[in-house]
Amino acid sequence: METTLRGVGVSHGVAIGEVRHMGTAVLEPPAKQIPPQDAKREQGRARKAVEAVAADLIARGNLAGGEAQAVLEAQAMMAQDPELMADVERRIAVGSTAERGVYDAFAAFRALLAGAGEYLAGRVADLDDVRNRIVARLLGVPMPGVPDSDEPYVLIARDLAPADTALLDPALVLGFVTEEGGPTSHSAILARALGVPAVVALPGARELAEGTLVAVDGSTGEIFVEPSAAKRSELERAAAERRAALAASSGPGATSDGHKVPLLANVGGPADVQAAVEAGAEGVGLFRTEFLFLDDSKEAPSEEKQVEAYRKVLEAFPEGRVVVRVLDAGADKPLDFLTPADEPNPALGVRGLRSLLDHPDVLRTQLTALSKAAAGLPVYLEVMAPMVADRTDAKAFADACREAGLRAKFGAMVEIPSAALRARSILQEVAFLSLGTNDLAQYTFAADRQVGAVSRLQDPWQPALLDLVALSAEAAKAEGKSCGVCGEAASDPLLACVLTGLGVTSLSMGAASLPYVRATLAKYTLAQCERAAAAARAADTAEEARVAAQAVLSGE
């Protein structure tokens, strides 16, 4: 009998196939004691397992490239954390086996995170995955992970670790459904990059029996269990129509009445450039530079290395606009040479621009490298700072850019509510704003972007978030300057129309989302987008906002 479940759709498309479950987590190792003379041997086993897992994660990252590489390298750093390793060795010294020492040390660190209010709960899933991989290697059992199958399937899991999501084979994994996660979790972002339909935050997903036929709609978040032939035909027909519309969509982004809305790509490094170019990106709206710095958390990359990497991206968009975000370190992206190790709450501490202003040599080197990388190229380079709180921050960044001799526009990211509320003041110092809706939602609602339990507050349709977007766009218009969106909100085709109606001047997203947004935007006039935006802001909940905007655009 057909039933319908609803989670949070995070990656467009429809997948129809049989359920396969993620490999089970490693069982808890037995708590047996070892004689003192075996301690050194067990400590050596633990160190070798940690190094092997870290190497495997880095290798997976190199294969995946782009955003996935940065995520997996961060996991490798987690595996090699010196404090964790020291705790493992202490436990072995008093009688634990290597696998038990690893298990207990990771459990203690996990408990610390939970005790701190779960502000890093999204990292807990990554931590569990690292632990499971190390323990599996020590026990000599298969790694937990994606099931082996010769036939395509829909993957069901509690959550997906980045190491699993990064290397999913779209030819076999038709789509995936998770019980946890949110619209801006690592798994959701990587799913969009892969173009795999995905639904997250679906309670009870793992209760779906192995082999059950399901249809997954990654746009609506609906899961149809044992769909009828009629329902399958309906979904397949809608998917075919969508593919045809996408194939016919090309050229610059614009509404049906010719209002231009440049559609740009989010890239994590040179590996993401080809997909962006093939998808018709008009430039880059967010070039994350962390990938270079995460290669080695002990020291910053040289100016020469930075110049080489930046130039590869800049060369791909002649005559195009490339917006580079300077290093955003801190919180879930700690760097030994830059971020404090003992912050009680890193997400609210010395992060982003704050870190760079504390280490002006790192900022100066990066700005100089960007200047040299752009030399002689016809690209329109723009450079922006993350985590700008007020005009003082904006001025400090602009001054640093000028001191480095950077010939580019300087901008500020709006990720903190204070920046949206005081956008016009900030624009006295910089030439443009770029809204990072993922972090802006996180800080507006005090809702960690990785925690499935608060995913409704991470929904970019939340009217309060739309109000902050509108404030920023209105301030930019009043100052005659631009205001783009580079957060995941821009990847939702319907929401892209609403953002356009709010006055946003450009939209940047993962390459896989560009055709969907381009095709949808071209259906409606600017006036329709403005009416949809007004209707969404008048709502009280995210779901009501979505429904209200859809009703306006569909003429209901």
Side-chain angles (χ1 to χ4, degrees), residues 237-250:
R237 184 168 59 252
E241 290 173 355
R242 187 180 297 168
R243 285 193 297 270
L246 295 178
S249 171
S250 62

Side-chain angles (χ1 to χ4, degrees), residues 498 501-502 529-539:
V498 167
L502 291 174
C529 293
E530 289 172 340
R531 288 197 295 274
R537 289 184 68 189

Side-chain angles (χ1 to χ4, degrees), residues 130-154:
V130 171
R131 177 204 64 202
N132 290 348
R133 290 174 185 278
I134 297 171
V135 172
R137 184 170 289 274
L138 287 166
L139 291 174
V141 300
M143 292 284 179
V146 178
D148 291 328
S149 176
D150 296 328
E151 298 296 325
Y153 59 90
V154 173

